[in-house]
Amino acid sequence: YNITGCNSTLLTEVNYKGTGWLPAQIASAVTTVWDHSDHMALPDIPGQTVYIHGTGFDDTRTEQYLAIFTGQFCTQLPGPISPSATIRTNKLNGTLRFDNIDLTNCTEKLRVQVNYQDNGYLPSKQIYVFTTVLDTWGQQSHPAIDDQTISIHGTGFASHNLNDYALLFNGSECQSLPP
């Protein structure tokens, strides 16, 4: 069957010799990768754990999956690689975990293509954005007085929870910047 364009699940109904249709049941999960880049960010450093969330990741045999990661200016990404683990969320959905991925020099977005049981690679899907602080030298300045509000601009600040971030400021001849 050509299931191009299908996502999530395939349902089936059976009618044996005209005796009536049985209720629809899930026949298969369609392997898909979810774009979670709107709430997932990574720094461009080595040794990262990368998670791919999707439908159809219910096989616990990691060797059944291959992934190809791509990103702008990424120089250390591995070739096709199997996950370190699979995490089954429920009957249909799961997560592939990849440990120790070197994201050195990567910018903008991380994309992935997944292949399950050598059935061909799914189309490339964006899964993360990289956290980057932009230089705002010409856009803001502050007098050297107490109780200043400093705004940080950039990409990859996916969380609205400020406790998810730690900031470190330093500058020449600063007397009392917090750690």
Side-chain angles (χ1 to χ4, degrees), residues 126-149:
Q126 178 179 318
I127 56 171
Y128 286 93
V129 293
F130 289 100
T131 305
T132 306
V133 176
L134 300 176
D135 181 353
T136 56
W137 174 270
Q139 298 171 4
Q140 62 178 333
S141 60
H142 299 86
I145 59 174
D146 191 21
D147 200 24
Q148 290 293 305
T149 299

Side-chain angles (χ1 to χ4, degrees), residues 37-84:
S37 61
D38 61 339
H39 62 276
M40 301 289 281
L42 286 171
D44 63 335
I45 60 175
Q48 289 295 307
T49 299
V50 176
Y51 296 93
I52 302 173
H53 305 287
T55 302
F57 298 150
D58 56 348
D59 192 335
T60 58
R61 299 171 297 164
T62 57
E63 70 277 3
Q64 297 298 310
Y65 302 93
L66 284 175
I68 298 174
F69 295 100
T70 56
Q72 188 170 0
F73 302 117
C74 298
T75 57
Q76 305 298 320
L77 289 175
I81 184 175
S82 290
S84 307

Side-chain angles (χ1 to χ4, degrees), residues 115-130:
N115 185 338
Y116 176 61
Q117 294 184 334
D118 287 327
N119 285 317
Y121 283 92
L122 296 172
S124 178
K125 183 72 108 172
Q126 178 179 318
I127 56 171
Y128 286 93
V129 293
F130 289 100

